[in-house]
């Protein structure tokens, strides 16, 4: 039986990405460049993964606005899934990555304490399990098919660590507009990570 493949895309660029801010649960729009990334990604996916049966997206607008042109190009339905949302850092939302790294030791403590809730938000383990469970559920919903998921860098890194390594640690980084392929056969296998050639020379 054919395996289920989930093509996972990180949303396009946002002002927070440009400014080096963490906007996990904050609803941030795409920049103009982010919208161009979304259009380029949609064209690439329609040409290379035209067999996709549906597109699923985080409810945050930066993901939805990346997913919409993909669904339109593919001619398939667009579904919103709450569990695809980004890692929520509670009162630390809007902090710079410099502050999170130097002052709060966010990434160091994430590796040390899987159930720690930074800023009163979500724990690394909670996010990893939430995202991982969402991807597994989609694989069960679409046996033998391909679907596209548009999500966020932090949640994706944690979920992928959970699915592939059994650890809620962000070992893999993906870029805005990147394309990755995760195959469930039935155990998850990473086929492609952080493909961005379709975005080359984008101003």
């Amino acid at each position: 039986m054919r395996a289920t493949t989930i093509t996972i895309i990180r949303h396009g660029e946002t002002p927070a990405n440009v400014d080096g801010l963490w906007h996990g649960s904050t609803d941030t729009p795409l920049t103009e460049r982010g919208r161009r990334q979304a259009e380029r990604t949609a064209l690439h996916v329609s040409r290379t993964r035209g067999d996709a049966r549906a597109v699923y997206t985080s409810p945050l607008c930066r993901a939805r606005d990346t997913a919409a042109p993909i669904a339109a190009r593919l001619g398939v339905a667009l579904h919103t899934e709450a569990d695809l949302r980004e890692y929520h850092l509670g009162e630390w939302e809007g902090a710079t990555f410099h502050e999170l790294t130097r002052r709060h030791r966010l990434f160091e403590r994430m590796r040390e304490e899987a159930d720690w809730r930074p800023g009163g938000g979500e724990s690394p383990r909670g996010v990893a399990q939430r995202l991982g469970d969402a991807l597994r559920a989609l694989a069960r919903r679409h046996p033998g098919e391909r679907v596209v998921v548009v999500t966020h860098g932090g949640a994706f890194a944690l979920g992928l660590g959970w699915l592939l390594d059994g650890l809620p640690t962000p070992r893999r980084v993906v870029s805005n507009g990147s394309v990755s392929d995760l195959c469930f056969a039935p155990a998850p296998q990473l086929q492609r990570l952080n493909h961005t050639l379709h975005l080359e020379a984008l101003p």
Side-chain angles (χ1 to χ4, degrees):
M1 182 177 177
R2 184 183 172 199
T4 299
T5 300
I6 300 183
T7 294
I8 305 171
I9 294 163
R10 184 185 175 194
H11 63 77
E13 181 189 83
T14 70
N17 297 145
V18 175
D19 296 335
L21 305 176
W22 187 284
H23 274 193
S25 64
T26 306
D27 216 359
T28 309
L30 297 175
T31 61
E32 182 56 39
R33 185 169 186 269
R35 293 187 179 279
R36 292 196 298 270
Q37 289 174 335
E39 292 292 344
R40 286 275 191 96
T41 301
L43 180 60
H44 172 71
V45 169
S46 69
R47 288 175 172 173
T48 61
R49 294 160 179 83
D51 59 339
R53 301 298 298 272
V55 178
Y56 294 87
T57 180
S58 155
L60 296 172
C61 68
R62 58 191 183 272
R64 288 188 286 104
D65 289 346
T66 301
I70 298 172
R73 285 271 186 184
L74 291 170
V76 299
L78 177 60
H79 307 277
T80 299
E81 291 285 339
D83 285 343
L84 299 176
R85 66 190 183 278
E86 182 58 299
Y87 188 178
H88 177 36
L89 291 190
E91 64 185 15
W92 292 356
E93 290 278 315
T96 66
F97 278 89
H98 180 80
E99 290 174 316
L100 293 172
T101 302
R102 301 292 180 140
R103 179 181 173 188
H104 299 301
R105 298 176 47 245
L106 172 65
F107 303 103
E108 184 179 346
R109 289 192 65 185
M110 282 171 60
R111 290 189 292 270
E112 296 171 348
E113 305 174 55
D115 296 310
W116 170 60
R117 299 170 67 89
E122 296 179 277
S123 70
R125 191 191 310 275
V127 177
Q129 291 178 334
R130 165 168 63 75
L131 201 287
D133 288 349
L135 295 179
R136 285 188 185 278
L138 291 178
R140 289 193 298 269
R141 194 180 306 173
H142 293 272
E145 298 177 344
R146 179 193 299 276
V147 296
V148 175
V149 161
V150 181
T151 185
H152 306 265
F156 174 62
L158 286 166
L160 201 58
W162 185 255
L163 289 171
L164 299 180
D165 310 316
L167 298 170
T169 52
R171 296 184 175 185
R172 301 165 183 87
V173 177
V174 292
S175 306
N176 293 116
S178 64
V179 177
S180 303
D181 289 307
L182 187 64
C183 176
F184 287 81
Q189 302 171 11
L190 187 62
Q191 295 181 321
R192 182 183 295 267
L193 179 70
N194 199 39
H195 177 82
T196 58
L197 288 179
H198 56 287
L199 301 177
E200 284 190 350
L202 186 69

